Structures are given as C-alpha cells and as structure tokens.
Amino acid sequence: MDTALRDGQGLGISGIGQWTTHKWCLLVSVTSVFVFGLVGLIFAILTWFAAYPAAPVLLITDAPAIILLTFSSSLLLLASLAGVTGTLLNSRPILAVYVLLLFPSFISFVSVGYITYKKANLSLDAKASEAWNAWYSPGARTVLQGALICCGWSGPLHGAAASGTCYARSPLPGCHVPLVHFERDALTSAYGTVFSLVPLHLANIFVALLCANHVTHRFGKGITPARYRLTVRDVFAAGLSEVGEKTTCTSSLSPLRLAPTEQRSFREDRHVYSQVRRAQGKAPRVDVP
C-alpha cells in the first residue's frame, strides 16, 4: 500500500501528500508555460479577428510576427498539455516529449522577439516607406488611413488611397509620422515582452531536464540491472538444489538407513582380523621336514 501511494496511481491527485519536491516544481513550471502560451494565443486570435482597434494595422504591417506568434503559442500550449499529463500520470516518456517540445517552442518564441527587434531598430523609417509605396495595396492603405486618421504617405498627394476622408484637398496629415510612431511603439512592446520571458522559459527547460525523471520515488526505470537478472542456468541450478534438499530430507527420515552401522561393524571385524594377522606374522616360523 505504501509503495502504491509513493509511486502514485491513476491521476495521482489522491496522493498529493506523497508528491515529491521535483514533481511540485515541474507542475509549477508546466503551469507557467501554459499561462504565457495561452496569453500569446489569445492575443494572436484577437488580432486575427480584429477584435481591438490596432489589430487591422498589425495585420497589415506585422503579419509575419503575428503568424510566428500564433505558431509559437500553439507549440507552448501543446508542450504544456504534454507536461501536465506526464506530471499527473507519473509518465516519464510523456515528460520526455514535453522536454523535447520546449526547445522548438523556445526557438519560435525567441524568433518573434528577433524579427520585431530587427525591424524596430534597423531602418524602420525606410522599411515603412518602402512597404507603403511598393507592397501595400490600395485596400491596405485605406485601412491604415482610417485607423491612423491620416491621408497619403507624406500628404494627400503622395501615395494616397482615395476614400471619403482622404482626397486631394484633405486637411488630414500624412501617414508617415503616425505609422512610424505606431510601429516603433508596437514593436518595442513586442520584443521587450518576449525577451523578458526568455529567462523564465530557460528556467522551465532547466526544471524539466532536472525534474522529469524524479516525479516518483522510484529510481531509474524500475528495470533490474543485468547482473542481478535470473538466467536459465540460475533457474536450473535452483531446481537441482531444491531436488537435492528434498532427497536429503527423505533419506534422513527413511527407517532402512542401516548402512552406517553395518559399515562400522564391518570395519571393526576388519580391524580385529588385521591384528590377528599381525600377531601371526610376529610368531617364529617352524619348518616341517
């Protein structure tokens, strides 16, 4: 019973008092992975469905980062589900899958910070200008003009998409300054958040590597070492020794065991006979004519 409680059965919730420190640390780590994976996925879904005012602008200007954030958050959620399943079921193979999933999720998560940092700090103004004039469609420009309340790139006469509020004599300013400011603020917030979570994710990987093999009190895989395993020869020798013990017990209880007495009497007669022969040898020989 104690062994069953110590190793855990079912979901292991009934034996929470017997959980090891490593298991508690692993559960906290898995929970943190689940939380920021869930938060990232919720933010990505809200952005895809344009659920807040800045979402359409982000979908046009930073679509690669949003795609990568969605992929990274999905990987984090998948890893956390594997981790919590392996922790509650005390399954070391599932926890090994959890540890493996942490590495690609970490790479994809850091990639979000890398591409946003690179865009924000390496010629953001030139990149925004090139995208407006070469890559954005009239529909995308219309969405940006409506969200940022501007018209054209540097003015209504430069790269403007005609709309009800944007025309040749529109009093609205150009989208150059508002778009660059928006991009800089959004990208700075993105890579700042990602890079601030990198130490936490590295700590989760470290905890997973150390604790995944110690969710129970059992050492190793529970497999008997090779030097202590029984072989056919061992079983055969044990059977022979058991048969020999039974034979010895049966012989000791047998009423016909008279051999030692007869053998001893025979040896006494033999001893007397040898003494007689020795005495005869010492007597003088008499030659008969």
PDB file of all heavy atoms in Angstrom, residues 9-39:
ATOM      1  N   GLN A   9      -1.044   6.315  -8.354  1.00  0.00           N
ATOM      2  CA  GLN A   9      -1.903   5.556  -9.235  1.00  0.00           C
ATOM      3  C   GLN A   9      -2.944   6.483  -9.804  1.00  0.00           C
ATOM      4  O   GLN A   9      -3.320   7.482  -9.192  1.00  0.00           O
ATOM      5  CB  GLN A   9      -2.586   4.401  -8.482  1.00  0.00           C
ATOM      6  CG  GLN A   9      -1.611   3.310  -8.060  1.00  0.00           C
ATOM      7  CD  GLN A   9      -2.313   2.187  -7.314  1.00  0.00           C
ATOM      8  OE1 GLN A   9      -3.481   2.301  -6.988  1.00  0.00           O
ATOM      9  NE2 GLN A   9      -1.600   1.118  -7.063  1.00  0.00           N
ATOM     10  N   GLY A  10      -3.488   6.154 -10.990  1.00  0.00           N
ATOM     11  CA  GLY A  10      -4.480   6.999 -11.602  1.00  0.00           C
ATOM     12  C   GLY A  10      -3.906   8.360 -11.928  1.00  0.00           C
ATOM     13  O   GLY A  10      -2.826   8.489 -12.476  1.00  0.00           O
ATOM     14  N   LEU A  11      -4.647   9.421 -11.568  1.00  0.00           N
ATOM     15  CA  LEU A  11      -4.165  10.777 -11.783  1.00  0.00           C
ATOM     16  C   LEU A  11      -3.216  11.222 -10.696  1.00  0.00           C
ATOM     17  O   LEU A  11      -2.623  12.280 -10.780  1.00  0.00           O
ATOM     18  CB  LEU A  11      -5.356  11.747 -11.859  1.00  0.00           C
ATOM     19  CG  LEU A  11      -6.248  11.598 -13.088  1.00  0.00           C
ATOM     20  CD1 LEU A  11      -7.381  12.587 -13.011  1.00  0.00           C
ATOM     21  CD2 LEU A  11      -5.464  11.794 -14.359  1.00  0.00           C
ATOM     22  N   GLY A  12      -3.088  10.464  -9.637  1.00  0.00           N
ATOM     23  CA  GLY A  12      -2.150  10.817  -8.582  1.00  0.00           C
ATOM     24  C   GLY A  12      -2.632  11.937  -7.686  1.00  0.00           C
ATOM     25  O   GLY A  12      -1.895  12.415  -6.828  1.00  0.00           O
ATOM     26  N   ILE A  13      -3.914  12.385  -7.854  1.00  0.00           N
ATOM     27  CA  ILE A  13      -4.393  13.506  -7.064  1.00  0.00           C
ATOM     28  C   ILE A  13      -4.681  13.072  -5.639  1.00  0.00           C
ATOM     29  O   ILE A  13      -4.515  13.841  -4.696  1.00  0.00           O
ATOM     30  CB  ILE A  13      -5.651  14.104  -7.730  1.00  0.00           C
ATOM     31  CG1 ILE A  13      -5.284  14.614  -9.121  1.00  0.00           C
ATOM     32  CG2 ILE A  13      -6.253  15.208  -6.890  1.00  0.00           C
ATOM     33  CD1 ILE A  13      -6.452  15.160  -9.906  1.00  0.00           C
ATOM     34  N   SER A  14      -5.108  11.812  -5.449  1.00  0.00           N
ATOM     35  CA  SER A  14      -5.411  11.351  -4.106  1.00  0.00           C
ATOM     36  C   SER A  14      -4.163  11.219  -3.241  1.00  0.00           C
ATOM     37  O   SER A  14      -4.257  11.201  -2.030  1.00  0.00           O
ATOM     38  CB  SER A  14      -6.120   9.995  -4.175  1.00  0.00           C
ATOM     39  OG  SER A  14      -5.291   9.047  -4.852  1.00  0.00           O
ATOM     40  N   GLY A  15      -2.987  11.143  -3.868  1.00  0.00           N
ATOM     41  CA  GLY A  15      -1.741  11.018  -3.111  1.00  0.00           C
ATOM     42  C   GLY A  15      -0.899  12.265  -3.175  1.00  0.00           C
ATOM     43  O   GLY A  15       0.318  12.186  -3.292  1.00  0.00           O
ATOM     44  N   ILE A  16      -1.557  13.452  -3.133  1.00  0.00           N
ATOM     45  CA  ILE A  16      -0.815  14.707  -3.248  1.00  0.00           C
ATOM     46  C   ILE A  16       0.196  14.836  -2.117  1.00  0.00           C
ATOM     47  O   ILE A  16       1.287  15.373  -2.297  1.00  0.00           O
ATOM     48  CB  ILE A  16      -1.801  15.897  -3.259  1.00  0.00           C
ATOM     49  CG1 ILE A  16      -2.543  15.931  -4.594  1.00  0.00           C
ATOM     50  CG2 ILE A  16      -1.081  17.217  -3.036  1.00  0.00           C
ATOM     51  CD1 ILE A  16      -3.534  17.050  -4.718  1.00  0.00           C
ATOM     52  N   GLY A  17      -0.148  14.322  -0.937  1.00  0.00           N
ATOM     53  CA  GLY A  17       0.777  14.407   0.184  1.00  0.00           C
ATOM     54  C   GLY A  17       2.062  13.648  -0.044  1.00  0.00           C
ATOM     55  O   GLY A  17       3.074  13.930   0.603  1.00  0.00           O
ATOM     56  N   GLN A  18       2.038  12.671  -0.968  1.00  0.00           N
ATOM     57  CA  GLN A  18       3.228  11.879  -1.263  1.00  0.00           C
ATOM     58  C   GLN A  18       3.989  12.400  -2.489  1.00  0.00           C
ATOM     59  O   GLN A  18       4.931  11.765  -2.939  1.00  0.00           O
ATOM     60  CB  GLN A  18       2.848  10.406  -1.491  1.00  0.00           C
ATOM     61  CG  GLN A  18       2.501   9.641  -0.226  1.00  0.00           C
ATOM     62  CD  GLN A  18       1.140   9.998   0.308  1.00  0.00           C
ATOM     63  OE1 GLN A  18       0.250  10.352  -0.454  1.00  0.00           O
ATOM     64  NE2 GLN A  18       0.958   9.917   1.608  1.00  0.00           N
ATOM     65  N   TRP A  19       3.569  13.522  -3.073  1.00  0.00           N
ATOM     66  CA  TRP A  19       4.280  14.072  -4.233  1.00  0.00           C
ATOM     67  C   TRP A  19       5.674  14.528  -3.835  1.00  0.00           C
ATOM     68  O   TRP A  19       5.872  15.108  -2.766  1.00  0.00           O
ATOM     69  CB  TRP A  19       3.511  15.252  -4.808  1.00  0.00           C
ATOM     70  CG  TRP A  19       2.322  14.861  -5.628  1.00  0.00           C
ATOM     71  CD1 TRP A  19       1.739  13.624  -5.682  1.00  0.00           C
ATOM     72  CD2 TRP A  19       1.559  15.697  -6.500  1.00  0.00           C
ATOM     73  NE1 TRP A  19       0.668  13.640  -6.530  1.00  0.00           N
ATOM     74  CE2 TRP A  19       0.527  14.894  -7.049  1.00  0.00           C
ATOM     75  CE3 TRP A  19       1.644  17.028  -6.864  1.00  0.00           C
ATOM     76  CZ2 TRP A  19      -0.403  15.396  -7.939  1.00  0.00           C
ATOM     77  CZ3 TRP A  19       0.719  17.543  -7.757  1.00  0.00           C
ATOM     78  CH2 TRP A  19      -0.292  16.724  -8.289  1.00  0.00           C
ATOM     79  N   THR A  20       6.605  14.307  -4.720  1.00  0.00           N
ATOM     80  CA  THR A  20       7.977  14.730  -4.458  1.00  0.00           C
ATOM     81  C   THR A  20       8.137  16.220  -4.737  1.00  0.00           C
ATOM     82  O   THR A  20       7.317  16.852  -5.406  1.00  0.00           O
ATOM     83  CB  THR A  20       8.954  13.947  -5.354  1.00  0.00           C
ATOM     84  OG1 THR A  20       8.678  14.259  -6.724  1.00  0.00           O
ATOM     85  CG2 THR A  20       8.810  12.446  -5.133  1.00  0.00           C
ATOM     86  N   THR A  21       9.218  16.792  -4.202  1.00  0.00           N
ATOM     87  CA  THR A  21       9.513  18.213  -4.459  1.00  0.00           C
ATOM     88  C   THR A  21       9.739  18.460  -5.935  1.00  0.00           C
ATOM     89  O   THR A  21       9.333  19.492  -6.484  1.00  0.00           O
ATOM     90  CB  THR A  21      10.747  18.637  -3.658  1.00  0.00           C
ATOM     91  OG1 THR A  21      10.546  18.334  -2.281  1.00  0.00           O
ATOM     92  CG2 THR A  21      11.017  20.126  -3.814  1.00  0.00           C
ATOM     93  N   HIS A  22      10.370  17.506  -6.608  1.00  0.00           N
ATOM     94  CA  HIS A  22      10.607  17.643  -8.046  1.00  0.00           C
ATOM     95  C   HIS A  22       9.288  17.701  -8.817  1.00  0.00           C
ATOM     96  O   HIS A  22       9.158  18.453  -9.785  1.00  0.00           O
ATOM     97  CB  HIS A  22      11.441  16.471  -8.560  1.00  0.00           C
ATOM     98  CG  HIS A  22      12.785  16.352  -7.924  1.00  0.00           C
ATOM     99  ND1 HIS A  22      12.978  15.682  -6.735  1.00  0.00           N
ATOM    100  CD2 HIS A  22      13.999  16.826  -8.289  1.00  0.00           C
ATOM    101  CE1 HIS A  22      14.255  15.746  -6.411  1.00  0.00           C
ATOM    102  NE2 HIS A  22      14.903  16.428  -7.332  1.00  0.00           N
ATOM    103  N   LYS A  23       8.299  16.948  -8.361  1.00  0.00           N
ATOM    104  CA  LYS A  23       7.014  16.941  -9.053  1.00  0.00           C
ATOM    105  C   LYS A  23       6.296  18.269  -8.882  1.00  0.00           C
ATOM    106  O   LYS A  23       5.686  18.785  -9.826  1.00  0.00           O
ATOM    107  CB  LYS A  23       6.154  15.793  -8.520  1.00  0.00           C
ATOM    108  CG  LYS A  23       4.867  15.587  -9.304  1.00  0.00           C
ATOM    109  CD  LYS A  23       4.187  14.308  -8.877  1.00  0.00           C
ATOM    110  CE  LYS A  23       2.927  14.056  -9.705  1.00  0.00           C
ATOM    111  NZ  LYS A  23       2.290  12.762  -9.381  1.00  0.00           N
ATOM    112  N   TRP A  24       6.382  18.855  -7.688  1.00  0.00           N
ATOM    113  CA  TRP A  24       5.773  20.169  -7.462  1.00  0.00           C
ATOM    114  C   TRP A  24       6.450  21.237  -8.323  1.00  0.00           C
ATOM    115  O   TRP A  24       5.777  22.079  -8.925  1.00  0.00           O
ATOM    116  CB  TRP A  24       5.855  20.546  -5.983  1.00  0.00           C
ATOM    117  CG  TRP A  24       4.822  19.877  -5.127  1.00  0.00           C
ATOM    118  CD1 TRP A  24       5.028  18.924  -4.178  1.00  0.00           C
ATOM    119  CD2 TRP A  24       3.407  20.124  -5.137  1.00  0.00           C
ATOM    120  NE1 TRP A  24       3.844  18.534  -3.598  1.00  0.00           N
ATOM    121  CE2 TRP A  24       2.833  19.266  -4.168  1.00  0.00           C
ATOM    122  CE3 TRP A  24       2.575  20.959  -5.879  1.00  0.00           C
ATOM    123  CZ2 TRP A  24       1.464  19.247  -3.923  1.00  0.00           C
ATOM    124  CZ3 TRP A  24       1.213  20.942  -5.626  1.00  0.00           C
ATOM    125  CH2 TRP A  24       0.667  20.090  -4.659  1.00  0.00           C
ATOM    126  N   CYS A  25       7.773  21.205  -8.369  1.00  0.00           N
ATOM    127  CA  CYS A  25       8.497  22.174  -9.201  1.00  0.00           C
ATOM    128  C   CYS A  25       8.119  22.019 -10.675  1.00  0.00           C
ATOM    129  O   CYS A  25       7.933  23.012 -11.392  1.00  0.00           O
ATOM    130  CB  CYS A  25      10.001  22.003  -9.028  1.00  0.00           C
ATOM    131  SG  CYS A  25      10.616  22.402  -7.382  1.00  0.00           S
ATOM    132  N   LEU A  26       7.988  20.781 -11.112  1.00  0.00           N
ATOM    133  CA  LEU A  26       7.625  20.532 -12.502  1.00  0.00           C
ATOM    134  C   LEU A  26       6.215  21.021 -12.796  1.00  0.00           C
ATOM    135  O   LEU A  26       5.954  21.594 -13.864  1.00  0.00           O
ATOM    136  CB  LEU A  26       7.734  19.032 -12.800  1.00  0.00           C
ATOM    137  CG  LEU A  26       7.671  18.600 -14.259  1.00  0.00           C
ATOM    138  CD1 LEU A  26       8.792  19.234 -15.058  1.00  0.00           C
ATOM    139  CD2 LEU A  26       7.757  17.085 -14.354  1.00  0.00           C
ATOM    140  N   LEU A  27       5.306  20.833 -11.848  1.00  0.00           N
ATOM    141  CA  LEU A  27       3.931  21.286 -12.050  1.00  0.00           C
ATOM    142  C   LEU A  27       3.855  22.808 -12.145  1.00  0.00           C
ATOM    143  O   LEU A  27       3.134  23.358 -12.994  1.00  0.00           O
ATOM    144  CB  LEU A  27       3.049  20.778 -10.912  1.00  0.00           C
ATOM    145  CG  LEU A  27       1.553  21.073 -11.043  1.00  0.00           C
ATOM    146  CD1 LEU A  27       0.980  20.388 -12.269  1.00  0.00           C
ATOM    147  CD2 LEU A  27       0.813  20.615  -9.788  1.00  0.00           C
ATOM    148  N   VAL A  28       4.603  23.516 -11.290  1.00  0.00           N
ATOM    149  CA  VAL A  28       4.635  24.981 -11.353  1.00  0.00           C
ATOM    150  C   VAL A  28       5.223  25.439 -12.683  1.00  0.00           C
ATOM    151  O   VAL A  28       4.724  26.384 -13.319  1.00  0.00           O
ATOM    152  CB  VAL A  28       5.435  25.547 -10.168  1.00  0.00           C
ATOM    153  CG1 VAL A  28       5.649  27.047 -10.316  1.00  0.00           C
ATOM    154  CG2 VAL A  28       4.725  25.249  -8.855  1.00  0.00           C
ATOM    155  N   SER A  29       6.281  24.776 -13.126  1.00  0.00           N
ATOM    156  CA  SER A  29       6.917  25.132 -14.397  1.00  0.00           C
ATOM    157  C   SER A  29       5.965  24.920 -15.577  1.00  0.00           C
ATOM    158  O   SER A  29       5.840  25.773 -16.452  1.00  0.00           O
ATOM    159  CB  SER A  29       8.193  24.308 -14.587  1.00  0.00           C
ATOM    160  OG  SER A  29       8.753  24.520 -15.855  1.00  0.00           O
ATOM    161  N   VAL A  30       5.274  23.787 -15.591  1.00  0.00           N
ATOM    162  CA  VAL A  30       4.326  23.499 -16.664  1.00  0.00           C
ATOM    163  C   VAL A  30       3.185  24.517 -16.664  1.00  0.00           C
ATOM    164  O   VAL A  30       2.721  24.952 -17.724  1.00  0.00           O
ATOM    165  CB  VAL A  30       3.787  22.064 -16.525  1.00  0.00           C
ATOM    166  CG1 VAL A  30       2.642  21.822 -17.493  1.00  0.00           C
ATOM    167  CG2 VAL A  30       4.888  21.053 -16.773  1.00  0.00           C
ATOM    168  N   THR A  31       2.748  24.916 -15.469  1.00  0.00           N
ATOM    169  CA  THR A  31       1.682  25.914 -15.380  1.00  0.00           C
ATOM    170  C   THR A  31       2.111  27.242 -15.981  1.00  0.00           C
ATOM    171  O   THR A  31       1.329  27.912 -16.682  1.00  0.00           O
ATOM    172  CB  THR A  31       1.272  26.105 -13.912  1.00  0.00           C
ATOM    173  OG1 THR A  31       0.883  24.842 -13.355  1.00  0.00           O
ATOM    174  CG2 THR A  31       0.106  27.069 -13.792  1.00  0.00           C
ATOM    175  N   SER A  32       3.346  27.656 -15.714  1.00  0.00           N
ATOM    176  CA  SER A  32       3.836  28.913 -16.289  1.00  0.00           C
ATOM    177  C   SER A  32       3.921  28.831 -17.809  1.00  0.00           C
ATOM    178  O   SER A  32       3.581  29.795 -18.519  1.00  0.00           O
ATOM    179  CB  SER A  32       5.195  29.271 -15.695  1.00  0.00           C
ATOM    180  OG  SER A  32       6.193  28.343 -16.103  1.00  0.00           O
ATOM    181  N   VAL A  33       4.353  27.686 -18.344  1.00  0.00           N
ATOM    182  CA  VAL A  33       4.387  27.507 -19.804  1.00  0.00           C
ATOM    183  C   VAL A  33       2.977  27.603 -20.386  1.00  0.00           C
ATOM    184  O   VAL A  33       2.749  28.248 -21.419  1.00  0.00           O
ATOM    185  CB  VAL A  33       5.035  26.155 -20.163  1.00  0.00           C
ATOM    186  CG1 VAL A  33       4.920  25.879 -21.657  1.00  0.00           C
ATOM    187  CG2 VAL A  33       6.496  26.134 -19.746  1.00  0.00           C
ATOM    188  N   PHE A  34       2.029  27.000 -19.697  1.00  0.00           N
ATOM    189  CA  PHE A  34       0.637  27.042 -20.164  1.00  0.00           C
ATOM    190  C   PHE A  34       0.090  28.466 -20.142  1.00  0.00           C
ATOM    191  O   PHE A  34      -0.607  28.887 -21.074  1.00  0.00           O
ATOM    192  CB  PHE A  34      -0.218  26.136 -19.278  1.00  0.00           C
ATOM    193  CG  PHE A  34      -1.683  26.186 -19.602  1.00  0.00           C
ATOM    194  CD1 PHE A  34      -2.192  25.493 -20.688  1.00  0.00           C
ATOM    195  CD2 PHE A  34      -2.562  26.924 -18.815  1.00  0.00           C
ATOM    196  CE1 PHE A  34      -3.551  25.542 -20.995  1.00  0.00           C
ATOM    197  CE2 PHE A  34      -3.904  26.984 -19.108  1.00  0.00           C
ATOM    198  CZ  PHE A  34      -4.403  26.292 -20.203  1.00  0.00           C
ATOM    199  N   VAL A  35       0.428  29.230 -19.100  1.00  0.00           N
ATOM    200  CA  VAL A  35      -0.135  30.578 -18.952  1.00  0.00           C
ATOM    201  C   VAL A  35       0.345  31.486 -20.077  1.00  0.00           C
ATOM    202  O   VAL A  35      -0.459  32.121 -20.773  1.00  0.00           O
ATOM    203  CB  VAL A  35       0.224  31.165 -17.572  1.00  0.00           C
ATOM    204  CG1 VAL A  35      -0.077  32.653 -17.519  1.00  0.00           C
ATOM    205  CG2 VAL A  35      -0.546  30.441 -16.477  1.00  0.00           C
ATOM    206  N   PHE A  36       1.684  31.588 -20.287  1.00  0.00           N
ATOM    207  CA  PHE A  36       2.076  32.532 -21.321  1.00  0.00           C
ATOM    208  C   PHE A  36       1.886  32.002 -22.733  1.00  0.00           C
ATOM    209  O   PHE A  36       1.818  32.764 -23.693  1.00  0.00           O
ATOM    210  CB  PHE A  36       3.491  33.107 -21.107  1.00  0.00           C
ATOM    211  CG  PHE A  36       4.634  32.162 -21.178  1.00  0.00           C
ATOM    212  CD1 PHE A  36       5.151  31.745 -22.400  1.00  0.00           C
ATOM    213  CD2 PHE A  36       5.251  31.732 -20.028  1.00  0.00           C
ATOM    214  CE1 PHE A  36       6.258  30.920 -22.464  1.00  0.00           C
ATOM    215  CE2 PHE A  36       6.359  30.890 -20.089  1.00  0.00           C
ATOM    216  CZ  PHE A  36       6.855  30.484 -21.295  1.00  0.00           C
ATOM    217  N   GLY A  37       1.718  30.687 -22.904  1.00  0.00           N
ATOM    218  CA  GLY A  37       1.283  30.179 -24.201  1.00  0.00           C
ATOM    219  C   GLY A  37      -0.175  30.536 -24.475  1.00  0.00           C
ATOM    220  O   GLY A  37      -0.526  30.911 -25.595  1.00  0.00           O
ATOM    221  N   LEU A  38      -1.011  30.421 -23.426  1.00  0.00           N
ATOM    222  CA  LEU A  38      -2.419  30.766 -23.577  1.00  0.00           C
ATOM    223  C   LEU A  38      -2.607  32.262 -23.834  1.00  0.00           C
ATOM    224  O   LEU A  38      -3.414  32.658 -24.699  1.00  0.00           O
ATOM    225  CB  LEU A  38      -3.185  30.343 -22.328  1.00  0.00           C
ATOM    226  CG  LEU A  38      -4.691  30.593 -22.317  1.00  0.00           C
ATOM    227  CD1 LEU A  38      -5.372  29.787 -23.418  1.00  0.00           C
ATOM    228  CD2 LEU A  38      -5.281  30.254 -20.949  1.00  0.00           C
ATOM    229  N   VAL A  39      -1.862  33.090 -23.111  1.00  0.00           N
ATOM    230  CA  VAL A  39      -1.965  34.538 -23.313  1.00  0.00           C
ATOM    231  C   VAL A  39      -1.537  34.918 -24.728  1.00  0.00           C
ATOM    232  O   VAL A  39      -2.198  35.730 -25.405  1.00  0.00           O
ATOM    233  CB  VAL A  39      -1.114  35.283 -22.265  1.00  0.00           C
ATOM    234  CG1 VAL A  39      -1.023  36.763 -22.600  1.00  0.00           C
ATOM    235  CG2 VAL A  39      -1.701  35.097 -20.872  1.00  0.00           C
TER     236      VAL A  39
END
